[in-house]
Amino acid sequence: MRKYRYRYFSLFLGFTFLSVFCTSIQAQTQERAKYNFNAAWKLFVGDVAEAQSPDFNDKDWKAVTLPSAWNEDAAFKLPIHEHPTGIVWYRKHFVIPASAKGNKVFLEFEGIRQAGDFYVNGKHIGFHENGITAFGFDISDVIKPGEENIIAVRIDNAWDYRERATKTKYQWSDKNFNANYGGITKNVWLHVTSKLYQTLPLFSSLQTTGPYIYGQNFNIAKKRMTLVAQTEVKNEYQEDKIFDYEVEVKDIEGKIIKLIHGGKVAIKAGETKEIKAQAALTDVNFWSWGYGYLYTINTKLKINGQLIDEVATKTGFRKVEYQNGMVYLNDRVLMMKGYAQRTSNEWPALGLSVAPWLSDYSNGLMVESNANLVRWMHIAPWKQDIESCDRVGLIQAMPAGDAEADVQGVRWQQRVQVMQDAIIYNRNAPSIFFYESGNDGISEAHMLEMKALKEKYDPHGGRAIGSREMLDSKVAEYGGEMLYINKSADIPLWATEYSRDEGLRKYWDEFSPPFHKDGDGPLYKNMPAREYNRNQDSHAIENVIRWFDYWRERPGTGKRVSSGGVNIIFSDSNTHFRGEENYRRSGEVDALRIAKDGFYAHQVMWDGWVDVENHRVHIIGHWNYQKGTVKNIYVIASGEKTELFINGKSKGYGERSHNFLFTFKNIAWEPGVIKAISYDAAGKILAQKEIKTAGEPYALRLSKMMNPVGFKADGADLVLAEVEVIDQAGNRCPTALNMINFSLEGEAEWRGGLAQGADNYILAKNLPVECGVNRVLIRSTTNAGKIMLTAKAAGLQSALLEFSSIPVKVEGGLSKEMPADGLKPLLKRGPTPLSPSYQVSGKTLEIKSIKAGANQDVSFASIDDNELSDWSNDGNLATAWITYTFKEASVVNELNLKLNNFRTRIYPLQIKVDDQVVFEGNTQKSLGYFKAICKPVKGKTLTIRLMRENSGKDDSQIAAEMGGKKLDDGIARNDANAKGKLSIIEVEIIQIVK
C-alpha cells in the first residue's frame, strides 16, 4: 500500500511540476491584451474619509460609465466661470484574468480634470495634476489576478488648484476658455503584457515612449514610400532575451499587404531598447484632406516563433512641406481654411465626454463645411478627438497648454512638460500638422526649446512647430497673428483666429419671428455689442467679408502670400461670451451641431484646395415671410455673376462684393420658389439653389443619428434625435417656434437639448424648436432593450421614434469591446489630386534698388518679408516718398501695401511709374493689406508719395484682448500724431498674369 501511495505521490508531483511548468511558460508568453476599463464605476460627489480603503462600502454611490464629468449637468446651463468645482471620488471593483499572474499590468488614463490621487487595493499608486495629458500606472505589484480588485480615485477640479511641488497654478486653468468639466472625463484602458513588451507612450508617468510609425522617401505620383516602424521594448525578466521583430501592415479593409522582418534582437535583463524595421511600400493610399485612409501597423515580438507581444497602431501616411509661405500636402498647395475650436468641443448636459461616433459626426461636419484645419485652442485635445480627425481627414493644430502670453520659470516648465507628453502620445496621428507652442508669441529661446522637443521625439512626422505671432522668428516653422492678415514668402503664416462675432441660430433676420433687431443685446464692458448679437444673415455676411481678406492674398497672387486662417469657432461653446446668452455663440453650427447660415457660407467659399474647384450657391435665410415684406436677399456664390428668380421670373443680377456675396435689394416676398443661379463670365451655369415656401405647421417629425454599429448598452453611448415642425407636404417650417413636449420610455437616459430660455432648457423635457428644428441627446443604460421617444406639440400631429440598444459584454468590469469599434474613415473627398490647386494670377516684380526721401538705411525694411519692421520717413511731408527701381522694365498693375496703423490711419497716396501717375487716392482701413489698383503702365521705377498729411492714428478703434492688452495696429511705435509720416511695413508691386 505504501508503494502505491509513493507512485500516486510521484505521479501527483509529476503532474504538478508539468502544470507549474506550463503555467510558467504561459506566463512568459502571455499575449498582450487591452481592455476597455470604462465600465462599472461608482461616483460620489464630495470628500469622504477612507474611501480609498478596499473595505469601504460604496453600494449607495451613483453608478457611472466613463468617460463622464461629475458636473455634466452644468454644461451650457451655467456660464463657464460658474461651473461647479470640488472634491469627488470614483471607485471601481474589477477582476483581471488569473492568467495575468506574473505578467505586467498597466492602467492608462487619457486624462482627468484637474488633479487626482489613485489607489489600487488601498495602496496609493500615484497622482496626476496637470489636467490635460494622458498618464498611466504600473500596477503589476498591487494587482491580484483572478480576485476582486478595487481602484479608488480622488479628484479635485478647483479652478485655483496648484501644482503640489511648486505651489504654482496651472496657467491653462482659465475661466475664459477651459470649460471645467471635472472628473474622469476621458477613456481609461487596462493593459496586460508579458515582461518583454513594447512600452506605452506615457512619458512623464512611466518614462516610456511607445511605437513611432512614419513614412519616408515619398513619391506621391507613383504612390510609393518607405515605411519605418520604430518601437521601444522593455525587458523586465531577470535574464537576457533574444526575440524576433516583425511588422505587419494591413490596409483599410484589414488585408495584410506587407510583412517586414526586422531580424533578431538581443536585449539585456532590465534594459529598455529602441528598435526599428523598414521597407518600401507600393500602391500607397496617402492620407489627405477629407480622405482619412488609415493603415493598421502591427509591431510584433516573437520568441522561437511564438508571439510574445503585439501592438496595433492605426495611422496614415502623407507628405507635408512648409515653404514659400505655403503648406504642401502630398505635393499640392493647400490653403488653410477652418476653425479655431475650443478643445472641450462640448455638448449640452454632457460636456466633452461623448461617444466616439459623435466626435466623428461633429468633426466630420467641419470637413463637410469644406474646412481642412481645426486649431484646438490653448490645451491639447483628447485622444478621441485626435483619432476622430484622423478618420474624417481633418488637419489639426495641436497646442500643449497655455493661456494668453509667454511665461517664465515654473510655468514655462509646466508648458514644456505638457508639450513633451502630448507629442509622444499623439505623434502617430496623421492629422496633426502643427504643434502650437503658445496662444501668443514666445521668445526665440523658448521656441528653440520647443523645437528641440519636436526634433527629439518626432523628427520624421512631417510637422511644423511654431506659435501664434512669430512673424520675425528665425526658429518657428509657422506662425500668424490673431484677427489680422499676414503674408510670407518663407514659413506659412495663417490667421490663428478671426471673426469673433456671435449670433444665435434662432434669429434668422429682422423680418422673421421672433423679429430680433440685428445687434440688439446687452452692453459688453459698457460698450455696444452689436457684433456679438447678430442675426444669422449679418453673421453669415460678416463671415464672407472676413474670409475675403485672406482669399485675395491667397497662393498664386504673388511671391508673398497668406496661408489662410481659422474662424473662431465651429460650434457654440460653453466658454467666454460677449453676447446676450451665457455661452459663446460664434459657431457656424449651434451646440447641437445644427447648421447656421455661416456653415453654408464657408461651404461655398472653401470648396477647393486654394481656388474654388467645385461651385456652389447658398441663399441666406428662408422663404416664409409675412405678406408685404420687402427685404434685401443675399446670395453667396463662387461664380462671376448670380441671377435671382422668384416663381420663375428673373429679378436680375446681384450686386457683387467681397467676391462671393451677391446682394439683391428690395425684393418683395411672394409665396412660391426663390432660386439663385451662379454663372461664369461667359454665362455658363455653374451651380444653382432654390428654396420653397413651406405651408402651415401640420405635424412633428422625429429622426435620429446614432452609432453606425448600433446603440450600445454601455451607459455611455448616445443617440442624437432631431425634431422638426413640418407642413402637410413634409417641408420644414422655418419660422416655427413651437414648444415640444417629449416623453422617453425604455432603457435610456434623457440628456435633452438646448434653446433660448431659463437655464437654456438644459435637461428639460419640454423645449421649443428654433427655426423649425431642434435636437435632443439620449444616453444608453447598461441594459439592452427597446426605447420609445415621443414628441408632442399643441395643434400638431405627434411623432414617435422607436429604436433598441444592443448588449455590450463586460466581465469583471473589463470589456474587449472598444467605444470606437466599427467606425469607418471618411473617404468622400478622394485622394489628393495631382493637378495644381491654383492658377497664378500675379507676379511680384523684383527690386534692384531703393531710394527714399529719408532714412535710406532702412528702406529695405519695406520689402524684407518681415511684418515687424518698416521704413518710414522723418515726419516731414517733403520727405514722405520712396522709389523702387525694377530689375527690368515691367508693367505695373497693382500694389499690395501693408502700412503702419493699417486699422486706424488713412494715407492719401500718389503712385507713379516712372513719371506717369497710375494711382491717386486714399488708402482704406483694413486688417492688414491695402490693394492699390493701378493704371497699367510699363516702366523701370515706381514711386510712392504721401500727397498730404495722413489722418493720424485713432486709438479709439483699437480693442483690448481679454488680458487688457491692446490689439495690434502695426509697428509698436509712438507716432500717433505724426501726420507727415509715410510708414510702409511691406510693399509688393504686382504684374497681373493672364
Side-chain angles (χ1 to χ4, degrees):
M1 192 71 178
R2 200 174 289 172
K3 180 179 177 181
Y4 290 117
R5 285 179 185 168
Y6 177 80
R7 285 180 181 173
Y8 291 142
F9 183 66
S10 299
L11 193 59
F12 171 76
L13 285 177
F15 279 123
T16 301
F17 173 77
L18 181 61
S19 175
V20 170
F21 176 76
C22 291
T23 302
S24 176
I25 292 295
Q26 184 183 16
Q28 291 188 31
T29 60
Q30 168 78 38
E31 289 187 24
R32 192 183 193 109
K34 179 181 178 180
Y35 295 97
N36 179 344
F37 204 62
N38 288 331
W41 287 78
K42 295 288 195 74
L43 169 68
F44 180 82
V45 178
D47 204 359
V48 59
E50 302 301 320
Q52 75 275 19
S53 170
D55 298 327
F56 185 86
N57 186 349
D58 57 20
K59 69 179 181 65
D60 294 328
W61 287 19
K62 180 183 178 181
V64 296
T65 299
L66 301 182
S68 176
W70 69 264
N71 57 354
E72 63 181 2
D73 291 0
F76 284 94
K77 177 180 180 179
L78 299 175
I80 181 173
H81 56 277
E82 294 180 13
H83 282 179
T85 60
I87 306 296
V88 299
W89 281 88
Y90 290 84
R91 282 171 58 90
K92 176 184 173 85
H93 300 246
F94 65 100
V95 178
I96 68 169
S99 60
K101 188 174 183 180
N103 288 289
K104 299 294 297 181
V105 183
F106 299 94
L107 283 173
E108 175 188 352
F109 288 80
E110 289 186 351
I112 61 171
R113 179 70 181 273
Q114 170 76 41
D117 281 281
F118 296 79
Y119 304 83
V120 172
N121 296 330
K123 182 177 180 180
H124 187 251
I125 58 170
F127 68 96
H128 184 77
E129 56 183 343
N130 69 38
I132 298 178
T133 58
F135 58 96
F137 302 105
D138 181 346
I139 60 171
S140 308
D141 294 338
V142 294
I143 205 75
K144 297 181 291 186
E147 302 178 39
E148 183 180 81
N149 298 273
I150 297 171
I151 181 170
V153 185
R154 182 183 185 271
I155 301 246
D156 181 358
N157 73 321
W159 283 111
D160 59 353
Y161 180 88
R162 293 177 179 271
E163 187 178 40
R164 292 181 186 181
T166 65
K167 309 302 180 188
T168 303
K169 183 178 181 290
Y170 288 97
Q171 62 209 266
W172 47 82
S173 184
D174 189 291
K175 294 181 181 181
N176 287 307
F177 57 77
N178 192 1
N180 197 341
Y181 304 123
I184 308 177
T185 55
K186 302 173 186 178
N187 293 305
V188 188
W189 318 109
L190 185 140
H191 304 267
V192 179
T193 76
S194 74
K195 290 185 178 180
L196 177 67
Y197 62 95
Q198 297 171 75
T199 64
L200 294 169
L202 302 170
F203 191 76
S204 287
S205 50
L206 297 178
Q207 297 298 299
T208 55
T209 57
Y212 181 38
I213 315 295
Y214 56 91
Q216 291 182 325
N217 307 319
F218 293 97
N219 187 320
I220 300 300
K222 294 185 177 180
K223 302 181 71 174
R224 297 175 183 168
M225 58 164 271
T226 300
L227 167 68
V228 182
Q230 174 182 308
T231 192
E232 186 182 65
V233 178
K234 194 168 187 177
N235 179 15
E236 294 202 41
Y237 286 111
Q238 297 298 312
E239 64 273 2
D240 300 350
K241 294 288 183 181
I242 297 175
F243 64 90
D244 291 292
Y245 180 44
E246 188 177 281
V247 180
E248 182 183 77
V249 183
K250 291 183 177 181
D251 67 10
I252 202 166
E253 302 297 332
K255 178 184 176 183
I256 298 173
I257 61 168
K258 191 79 173 183
L259 197 60
I260 306 169
H261 297 283
K264 291 191 177 297
V265 180
I267 187 168
K268 295 179 180 179
E271 183 182 7
T272 301
K273 176 176 281 192
E274 202 170 79
I275 61 174
K276 70 170 67 172
Q278 64 183 58
L281 289 186
T282 58
D283 198 28
V284 178
N285 288 285
F286 293 109
W287 189 96
S288 188
W289 165 38
Y291 188 70
Y293 198 100
L294 300 177
Y295 290 87
T296 301
I297 312 300
N298 295 319
T299 46
K300 302 181 178 184
L301 312 182
K302 292 182 175 181
I303 293 179
N304 297 326
Q306 186 168 1
L307 184 65
I308 300 296
D309 190 71
E310 179 178 3
V311 174
T313 302
K314 278 201 171 181
T315 189
F317 304 105
R318 72 290 184 277
K319 178 184 178 184
V320 193
E321 297 174 294
Y322 312 86
Q323 59 190 11
N324 307 321
M326 298 178 283
V327 177
Y328 295 75
L329 170 57
N330 300 331
D331 294 335
R332 197 175 202 239
V333 173
L334 180 64
M335 190 176 185
M336 298 294 98
K337 307 170 183 180
Y339 305 101
Q341 176 76 336
R342 298 301 188 195
T343 300
S344 44
N345 207 10
E346 69 268 52
W347 293 73
L350 293 170
L352 67 87
S353 304
V354 298
W357 78 264
L358 201 56
S359 296
D360 281 14
Y361 173 68
S362 179
N363 297 326
L365 279 176
M366 293 194 224
V367 178
E368 189 178 323
S369 78
N370 288 319
N372 56 49
L373 171 66
V374 57
R375 174 195 173 233
W376 303 110
M377 300 181 70
H378 295 284
I379 60 174
W382 69 313
K383 193 73 165 181
Q384 181 167 297
D385 266 323
I386 288 174
E387 292 176 342
S388 171
C389 290
D390 289 344
R391 286 191 293 271
V392 303
L394 181 61
I395 297 165
Q396 302 180 76
M398 185 194 82
D402 59 47
E404 295 290 347
D406 200 0
V407 289
Q408 305 296 325
V410 170
R411 299 175 79 206
W412 173 251
Q413 291 309 313
Q414 289 174 339
R415 191 186 294 190
V416 170
Q417 182 181 341
V418 169
M419 178 61 86
Q420 173 185 260
D421 285 356
I423 287 175
I424 292 169
Y425 196 59
N426 299 310
R427 61 186 176 174
N428 292 313
S431 56
I432 297 175
F433 283 24
F434 303 98
Y435 292 140
E436 180 178 291
S437 306
N439 192 58
D440 205 341
I442 61 175
S443 70
E444 288 288 79
H446 281 171
M447 193 68 252
L448 276 167
E449 193 172 351
M450 286 292 193
K451 190 173 181 180
L453 285 179
K454 191 203 82 165
E455 295 302 324
K456 182 175 181 179
Y457 295 111
D458 187 19
H460 307 294
R463 298 181 178 93
I465 192 161
S467 182
R468 206 175 95 188
E469 311 285 345
M470 312 310 288
L471 303 186
D472 62 347
S473 174
K474 302 298 187 290
V475 181
E477 296 169 328
Y478 80 94
E481 290 183 286
M482 173 184 71
L483 306 179
Y484 308 123
I485 318 303
N486 304 121
K487 297 170 68 175
S488 170
D490 185 15
I491 65 171
L493 299 179
W494 48 270
T496 50
E497 58 186 82
Y498 74 88
S499 192
R500 292 171 158 184
D501 300 44
E502 297 185 39
L504 192 67
R505 185 182 64 80
K506 179 179 181 178
Y507 301 147
W508 282 115
D509 53 36
E510 296 182 12
F511 303 92
S512 306
F515 307 105
H516 174 260
K517 185 177 180 182
D518 190 51
D520 269 6
L523 300 179
Y524 175 69
K525 294 186 175 180
N526 297 316
M527 296 287 289
R530 180 185 182 279
E531 60 268 36
Y532 303 122
N533 292 288
R534 290 188 180 275
N535 291 335
Q536 279 203 61
D537 58 351
S538 81
H539 196 186
I541 291 167
E542 180 68 11
N543 282 326
V544 174
I545 293 169
R546 292 282 68 82
W547 176 249
F548 174 73
D549 289 335
Y550 301 95
W551 175 85
R552 65 180 176 181
E553 311 298 348
R554 67 196 180 279
T557 57
K559 185 177 181 181
R560 300 181 66 251
V561 297
S562 164
S563 197
V566 288
N567 183 309
I568 178 172
I569 49 184
F570 177 65
S571 60
D572 289 353
S573 171
N574 193 190
T575 53
H576 172 73
F577 56 93
R578 296 176 173 90
E580 184 174 8
E581 316 309 320
N582 65 356
Y583 60 93
R584 187 167 192 144
R585 301 158 303 144
S586 299
E588 312 317 312
V589 298
D590 71 7
L592 289 152
R593 279 50 172 185
I594 303 173
K596 307 177 189 179
D597 273 314
F599 176 93
Y600 301 105
H602 290 103
Q603 201 173 53
V604 172
M605 299 186 294
W606 289 352
D607 203 350
W609 284 54
V610 177
D611 295 341
V612 172
E613 297 172 71
N614 302 292
H615 292 280
R616 296 175 184 258
V617 177
H618 176 68
I619 303 169
I620 293 179
H622 59 92
W623 199 235
N624 271 67
Y625 290 98
Q626 294 179 346
K627 186 177 181 181
T629 298
V630 177
K631 70 185 292 287
N632 290 350
I633 299 297
Y634 302 99
V635 177
I636 303 165
S638 51
E640 293 299 309
K641 54 186 179 181
T642 300
E643 188 176 10
L644 189 72
F645 296 84
I646 296 178
N647 295 327
K649 298 177 182 177
S650 175
K651 298 297 179 179
Y653 292 93
E655 179 184 318
R656 189 182 190 184
S657 61
H658 303 94
N659 195 67
F660 300 102
L661 184 64
F662 296 85
T663 302
F664 300 84
K665 293 183 177 178
N666 301 318
I667 300 297
W669 176 79
E670 57 183 90
V673 178
I674 182 171
K675 178 192 285 189
I677 301 179
S678 177
Y679 305 91
D680 66 11
K684 178 185 175 183
I685 294 177
L686 299 175
Q688 54 187 300
K689 180 72 177 289
E690 68 177 36
I691 304 175
K692 296 179 181 179
T693 303
E696 291 297 314
Y698 174 75
L700 299 179
R701 179 168 59 205
L702 281 172
S703 58
K704 69 180 185 303
M705 286 161 274
M706 62 185 289
N707 193 325
V709 302
F711 186 35
K712 296 181 179 180
D714 59 3
D717 204 1
L718 295 158
V719 161
L720 182 60
E722 181 171 278
V723 61
E724 299 169 273
V725 174
I726 58 174
D727 66 11
Q728 205 160 358
N731 301 304
R732 184 189 295 175
C733 300
T735 60
L737 298 169
N738 302 65
M739 179 64 71
I740 312 298
N741 305 310
F742 291 96
S743 62
L744 179 67
E745 298 177 39
E747 290 294 343
E749 178 193 355
W750 179 260
R751 300 310 298 170
L754 176 144
Q756 187 184 44
D759 294 332
N760 299 319
Y761 285 94
I762 297 301
L763 294 174
K765 287 193 175 179
N766 302 328
L767 69 158
V769 294
E770 296 178 338
C771 303
V773 62
N774 213 329
R775 290 175 178 171
V776 295
L777 289 153
I778 297 165
R779 186 158 60 195
S780 66
T781 68
T782 54
N783 298 313
K786 295 185 67 173
I787 298 112
M788 290 189 298
L789 177 66
T790 304
K792 297 180 179 179
L796 302 179
Q797 286 189 3
S798 61
L800 173 66
L801 186 65
E802 295 183 288
F803 52 100
S804 298
S805 57
I806 58 176
V808 174
K809 187 176 181 180
V810 177
E811 293 183 355
L814 310 180
S815 177
K816 295 292 285 185
E817 296 184 35
M818 303 300 167
D821 283 352
L823 297 183
K824 303 286 188 183
L826 180 67
L827 304 174
K828 188 175 181 180
R829 291 196 68 91
T832 303
L834 296 177
S835 58
S837 59
Y838 63 88
Q839 289 186 332
V840 175
S841 60
K843 172 188 174 184
T844 300
L845 300 182
E846 294 188 55
I847 305 301
K848 179 181 178 181
S849 61
I850 308 173
K851 187 175 181 181
N855 298 325
Q856 176 70 33
D857 57 328
V858 295
S859 59
F860 179 73
S862 65
I863 59 167
D864 65 352
D865 196 24
N866 179 358
E867 295 187 3
L868 295 183
S869 68
D870 76 326
W871 166 83
S872 64
N873 68 317
D874 55 12
N876 295 313
L877 197 58
T879 63
W881 61 269
I882 188 167
T883 297
Y884 300 91
T885 300
F886 308 140
K887 284 191 175 182
E888 57 184 34
S890 303
V891 174
V892 174
N893 298 100
E894 299 175 354
L895 255 71
N896 278 346
L897 285 161
K898 189 162 198 175
L899 302 169
N900 198 28
N901 309 137
F902 48 82
R903 295 182 65 199
T904 62
R905 193 187 298 255
I906 295 171
Y907 295 84
L909 297 182
Q910 181 190 74
I911 301 172
K912 287 184 176 181
V913 173
D914 292 343
D915 292 324
Q916 191 168 346
V917 175
V918 296
F919 175 89
E920 211 168 66
N922 290 336
T923 63
Q924 297 174 350
K925 296 175 182 178
S926 74
L927 293 180
Y929 284 82
F930 168 73
K931 181 174 288 188
I933 306 299
C934 302
K935 183 172 78 172
V937 169
K938 187 174 183 179
K940 292 184 177 181
T941 66
L942 181 140
T943 300
I944 305 171
R945 183 183 296 275
L946 186 66
M947 293 189 295
R948 52 189 177 273
E949 288 187 340
N950 66 58
S951 65
K953 181 177 169 65
D954 181 5
D955 277 312
S956 68
Q957 299 300 308
I958 306 294
E961 180 58 288
M962 285 185 291
K965 169 189 170 185
K966 285 280 188 178
L967 296 176
D968 295 339
D969 191 32
I971 304 301
R973 183 175 59 226
N974 185 16
D975 58 359
N977 297 312
K979 294 190 176 184
K981 183 169 282 191
L982 176 61
S983 174
I984 301 176
I985 297 171
E986 287 292 327
V987 61
E988 283 182 281
I989 305 167
I990 302 295
Q991 182 181 88
I992 297 296
V993 176
K994 295 183 179 179

